[in-house]
Short mmCIF file of all heavy atoms in Angstrom, two decimals:
data_model
loop_
_atom_site.label_atom_id
_atom_site.label_comp_id
_atom_site.label_asym_id
_atom_site.label_seq_id
_atom_site.Cartn_x
_atom_site.Cartn_y
_atom_site.Cartn_z
N THR A 1 20.29 16.07 180.96
CA THR A 1 21.62 16.08 180.35
C THR A 1 21.94 17.45 179.79
O THR A 1 23.04 17.95 179.94
CB THR A 1 21.71 15.02 179.23
OG1 THR A 1 21.36 13.77 179.78
CG2 THR A 1 23.09 14.97 178.63
N LEU A 2 21.00 18.08 179.15
CA LEU A 2 21.20 19.38 178.54
C LEU A 2 21.55 20.43 179.59
O LEU A 2 22.42 21.27 179.38
CB LEU A 2 19.94 19.80 177.77
CG LEU A 2 20.00 21.12 177.02
CD1 LEU A 2 21.02 21.03 175.89
CD2 LEU A 2 18.63 21.47 176.46
N ALA A 3 20.92 20.36 180.74
CA ALA A 3 21.11 21.38 181.77
C ALA A 3 22.30 21.09 182.68
O ALA A 3 22.67 21.92 183.48
CB ALA A 3 19.84 21.51 182.59
N CYS A 4 22.90 19.92 182.58
CA CYS A 4 23.91 19.47 183.54
C CYS A 4 25.23 20.22 183.45
O CYS A 4 25.71 20.75 184.43
CB CYS A 4 24.16 17.98 183.37
SG CYS A 4 25.33 17.31 184.55
N ASN A 5 25.90 20.22 182.30
CA ASN A 5 27.22 20.82 182.11
C ASN A 5 28.27 20.21 183.02
O ASN A 5 29.19 20.89 183.45
CB ASN A 5 27.19 22.34 182.30
CG ASN A 5 26.57 23.03 181.12
OD1 ASN A 5 26.54 22.49 180.02
ND2 ASN A 5 26.05 24.22 181.34
N CYS A 6 28.15 18.93 183.34
CA CYS A 6 29.14 18.26 184.18
C CYS A 6 30.31 17.83 183.31
O CYS A 6 30.14 17.43 182.16
CB CYS A 6 28.54 17.02 184.83
SG CYS A 6 27.22 17.40 185.98
N ALA A 7 31.49 17.90 183.87
CA ALA A 7 32.67 17.39 183.17
C ALA A 7 32.57 15.88 183.07
O ALA A 7 31.95 15.23 183.91
CB ALA A 7 33.93 17.79 183.94
N GLU A 8 33.17 15.30 182.04
CA GLU A 8 33.11 13.86 181.85
C GLU A 8 33.92 13.13 182.92
O GLU A 8 34.90 13.64 183.44
CB GLU A 8 33.68 13.49 180.49
CG GLU A 8 32.84 13.98 179.34
CD GLU A 8 33.41 13.50 178.02
OE1 GLU A 8 33.45 12.29 177.81
OE2 GLU A 8 33.81 14.34 177.23
N THR A 9 33.48 11.91 183.22
CA THR A 9 34.24 11.05 184.12
C THR A 9 35.55 10.68 183.45
O THR A 9 35.57 10.35 182.27
CB THR A 9 33.43 9.79 184.47
OG1 THR A 9 32.33 10.18 185.30
CG2 THR A 9 34.27 8.76 185.20
N GLY A 10 36.66 10.73 184.19
CA GLY A 10 37.95 10.34 183.65
C GLY A 10 38.80 11.50 183.17
O GLY A 10 38.52 12.66 183.47
N SER A 11 39.85 11.17 182.40
CA SER A 11 40.76 12.19 181.89
C SER A 11 41.51 11.66 180.66
O SER A 11 41.64 10.46 180.48
CB SER A 11 41.74 12.63 182.98
OG SER A 11 42.52 11.53 183.41
N PRO A 12 42.01 12.59 179.82
CA PRO A 12 42.68 12.18 178.58
C PRO A 12 44.17 11.90 178.74
O PRO A 12 44.82 12.40 179.65
CB PRO A 12 42.47 13.40 177.68
CG PRO A 12 42.43 14.56 178.63
CD PRO A 12 41.79 14.03 179.88
N VAL A 13 44.68 11.10 177.79
CA VAL A 13 46.12 10.81 177.68
C VAL A 13 46.48 11.02 176.22
O VAL A 13 45.91 10.38 175.34
CB VAL A 13 46.45 9.35 178.07
CG1 VAL A 13 47.93 9.07 177.86
CG2 VAL A 13 46.01 9.05 179.48
N GLU A 14 47.42 11.93 175.96
CA GLU A 14 47.88 12.20 174.60
C GLU A 14 49.31 11.69 174.45
O GLU A 14 50.15 11.97 175.30
CB GLU A 14 47.84 13.70 174.29
CG GLU A 14 46.44 14.28 174.36
CD GLU A 14 46.43 15.79 174.16
OE1 GLU A 14 47.51 16.40 174.01
OE2 GLU A 14 45.33 16.35 174.15
N ILE A 15 49.56 10.95 173.37
CA ILE A 15 50.90 10.40 173.14
C ILE A 15 51.41 10.94 171.80
O ILE A 15 50.77 10.74 170.76
CB ILE A 15 50.89 8.86 173.12
CG1 ILE A 15 50.28 8.34 174.43
CG2 ILE A 15 52.30 8.32 172.93
CD1 ILE A 15 50.09 6.84 174.47
N ALA A 16 52.54 11.61 171.83
CA ALA A 16 53.12 12.21 170.63
C ALA A 16 53.55 11.14 169.64
O ALA A 16 53.94 10.03 170.02
CB ALA A 16 54.31 13.08 171.01
N SER A 17 53.54 11.49 168.37
CA SER A 17 53.95 10.58 167.31
C SER A 17 55.39 10.10 167.51
O SER A 17 55.69 8.92 167.32
CB SER A 17 53.80 11.28 165.95
OG SER A 17 54.24 10.46 164.92
N SER A 18 56.27 11.02 167.91
CA SER A 18 57.67 10.64 168.14
C SER A 18 57.80 9.64 169.28
O SER A 18 58.68 8.77 169.28
CB SER A 18 58.51 11.88 168.42
OG SER A 18 58.02 12.56 169.56
N THR A 19 56.91 9.72 170.26
CA THR A 19 56.91 8.75 171.36
C THR A 19 56.41 7.39 170.86
O THR A 19 56.98 6.36 171.19
CB THR A 19 56.02 9.26 172.52
OG1 THR A 19 56.52 10.52 172.95
CG2 THR A 19 56.02 8.29 173.68
N LEU A 20 55.35 7.39 170.06
CA LEU A 20 54.83 6.14 169.50
C LEU A 20 55.84 5.45 168.60
O LEU A 20 55.89 4.22 168.53
CB LEU A 20 53.53 6.40 168.74
CG LEU A 20 52.31 6.76 169.60
CD1 LEU A 20 51.14 7.16 168.71
CD2 LEU A 20 51.93 5.61 170.50
N ASP A 21 56.68 6.25 167.92
CA ASP A 21 57.72 5.68 167.05
C ASP A 21 58.70 4.81 167.83
O ASP A 21 59.32 3.91 167.27
CB ASP A 21 58.49 6.80 166.32
CG ASP A 21 57.66 7.50 165.27
OD1 ASP A 21 56.61 6.94 164.87
OD2 ASP A 21 58.05 8.60 164.85
N ARG A 22 58.84 5.07 169.13
CA ARG A 22 59.76 4.29 169.98
C ARG A 22 59.12 3.00 170.47
O ARG A 22 59.72 2.24 171.21
CB ARG A 22 60.21 5.15 171.16
CG ARG A 22 61.06 6.34 170.73
CD ARG A 22 61.48 7.21 171.89
NE ARG A 22 62.19 6.45 172.92
CZ ARG A 22 62.33 6.86 174.16
NH1 ARG A 22 61.81 8.01 174.56
NH2 ARG A 22 62.99 6.13 175.04
N GLU A 23 57.89 2.73 170.07
CA GLU A 23 57.14 1.50 170.36
C GLU A 23 57.08 1.15 171.85
O GLU A 23 57.48 0.07 172.28
CB GLU A 23 57.71 0.34 169.56
CG GLU A 23 57.62 0.56 168.07
CD GLU A 23 58.21 -0.59 167.25
OE1 GLU A 23 58.78 -1.53 167.83
OE2 GLU A 23 58.08 -0.52 166.03
N PRO A 24 56.51 2.04 172.65
CA PRO A 24 56.40 1.75 174.09
C PRO A 24 55.27 0.76 174.38
O PRO A 24 54.35 0.60 173.57
CB PRO A 24 56.07 3.12 174.69
CG PRO A 24 55.29 3.80 173.62
CD PRO A 24 55.95 3.35 172.33
N GLU A 25 55.36 0.13 175.53
CA GLU A 25 54.26 -0.70 176.02
C GLU A 25 53.50 0.13 177.04
O GLU A 25 54.09 0.67 177.99
CB GLU A 25 54.81 -1.96 176.67
CG GLU A 25 53.73 -2.94 177.06
CD GLU A 25 54.30 -4.25 177.57
OE1 GLU A 25 55.41 -4.64 177.16
OE2 GLU A 25 53.62 -4.87 178.41
N LEU A 26 52.22 0.26 176.86
CA LEU A 26 51.37 1.07 177.73
C LEU A 26 50.87 0.22 178.89
O LEU A 26 50.38 -0.90 178.68
CB LEU A 26 50.19 1.60 176.92
CG LEU A 26 49.24 2.57 177.57
CD1 LEU A 26 49.95 3.85 177.96
CD2 LEU A 26 48.09 2.88 176.63
N ARG A 27 51.03 0.74 180.11
CA ARG A 27 50.59 0.02 181.31
C ARG A 27 49.71 0.94 182.15
O ARG A 27 49.99 2.12 182.29
CB ARG A 27 51.78 -0.43 182.14
CG ARG A 27 52.69 -1.39 181.42
CD ARG A 27 53.76 -1.93 182.36
NE ARG A 27 54.72 -2.73 181.65
CZ ARG A 27 54.58 -4.03 181.42
NH1 ARG A 27 53.51 -4.65 181.84
NH2 ARG A 27 55.52 -4.70 180.79
N LEU A 28 48.67 0.35 182.71
CA LEU A 28 47.74 1.08 183.56
C LEU A 28 47.56 0.30 184.85
O LEU A 28 47.28 -0.90 184.82
CB LEU A 28 46.39 1.23 182.85
CG LEU A 28 45.34 2.10 183.51
CD1 LEU A 28 45.75 3.58 183.47
CD2 LEU A 28 44.00 1.93 182.83
N THR A 29 47.76 0.96 185.99
CA THR A 29 47.52 0.33 187.28
C THR A 29 46.48 1.14 188.03
O THR A 29 46.41 2.36 187.89
CB THR A 29 48.81 0.21 188.13
OG1 THR A 29 49.36 1.51 188.33
CG2 THR A 29 49.83 -0.68 187.44
N GLY A 30 45.69 0.47 188.82
CA GLY A 30 44.58 1.11 189.51
C GLY A 30 43.29 0.57 188.93
O GLY A 30 43.28 -0.16 187.94
N ASP A 31 42.19 0.94 189.54
CA ASP A 31 40.88 0.44 189.12
C ASP A 31 40.33 1.33 188.02
O ASP A 31 39.53 2.24 188.26
CB ASP A 31 39.94 0.40 190.33
CG ASP A 31 38.75 -0.51 190.09
OD1 ASP A 31 38.62 -1.05 188.98
OD2 ASP A 31 37.94 -0.67 191.02
N ALA A 32 40.82 1.10 186.78
CA ALA A 32 40.42 1.92 185.63
C ALA A 32 40.65 1.13 184.35
O ALA A 32 41.31 0.10 184.36
CB ALA A 32 41.23 3.21 185.61
N ARG A 33 40.13 1.66 183.26
CA ARG A 33 40.37 1.08 181.95
C ARG A 33 40.70 2.20 180.97
O ARG A 33 40.42 3.37 181.23
CB ARG A 33 39.18 0.26 181.47
CG ARG A 33 37.97 1.08 181.07
CD ARG A 33 36.82 0.19 180.57
NE ARG A 33 35.79 0.97 179.94
CZ ARG A 33 34.86 1.65 180.57
NH1 ARG A 33 34.82 1.64 181.89
NH2 ARG A 33 33.96 2.36 179.91
N LEU A 34 41.30 1.82 179.85
CA LEU A 34 41.64 2.77 178.80
C LEU A 34 40.72 2.57 177.60
O LEU A 34 40.42 1.44 177.24
CB LEU A 34 43.08 2.58 178.33
CG LEU A 34 44.18 3.06 179.25
CD1 LEU A 34 45.53 2.66 178.70
CD2 LEU A 34 44.11 4.58 179.41
N GLU A 35 40.31 3.68 176.99
CA GLU A 35 39.56 3.64 175.74
C GLU A 35 40.31 4.47 174.72
O GLU A 35 40.73 5.59 175.01
CB GLU A 35 38.16 4.21 175.93
CG GLU A 35 37.28 3.38 176.83
CD GLU A 35 35.89 3.98 177.00
OE1 GLU A 35 35.60 5.03 176.40
OE2 GLU A 35 35.10 3.39 177.75
N CYS A 36 40.50 3.91 173.53
CA CYS A 36 41.16 4.67 172.46
C CYS A 36 40.17 5.68 171.89
O CYS A 36 39.06 5.33 171.51
CB CYS A 36 41.64 3.72 171.36
SG CYS A 36 42.53 4.59 170.05
N MET A 37 40.59 6.93 171.84
CA MET A 37 39.72 8.00 171.36
C MET A 37 40.10 8.49 169.96
O MET A 37 39.29 9.08 169.27
CB MET A 37 39.74 9.18 172.33
CG MET A 37 39.33 8.82 173.74
SD MET A 37 37.68 8.12 173.85
CE MET A 37 36.70 9.55 173.51
#
């Protein structure tokens, strides 16, 4: 693990506070899951 330096599997999603204020419903399609970071 120390010698690997591989990028992590997946990618991030950032949602602005002003966007969250509009109370959107988050949808994900495809073979994946979301984790709150």
Side-chain angles (χ1 to χ4, degrees):
T1 304
L2 182 65
C4 182
N5 285 337
C6 295
E8 293 184 63
T9 290
S11 61
V13 177
E14 298 176 357
I15 305 174
S17 177
S18 59
T19 302
L20 290 173
D21 290 344
R22 295 178 56 200
E23 300 179 355
E25 186 174 331
L26 185 63
R27 298 187 186 273
L28 186 70
T29 58
D31 199 357
R33 72 178 192 281
L34 286 174
E35 294 180 1
C36 182
M37 302 302 289

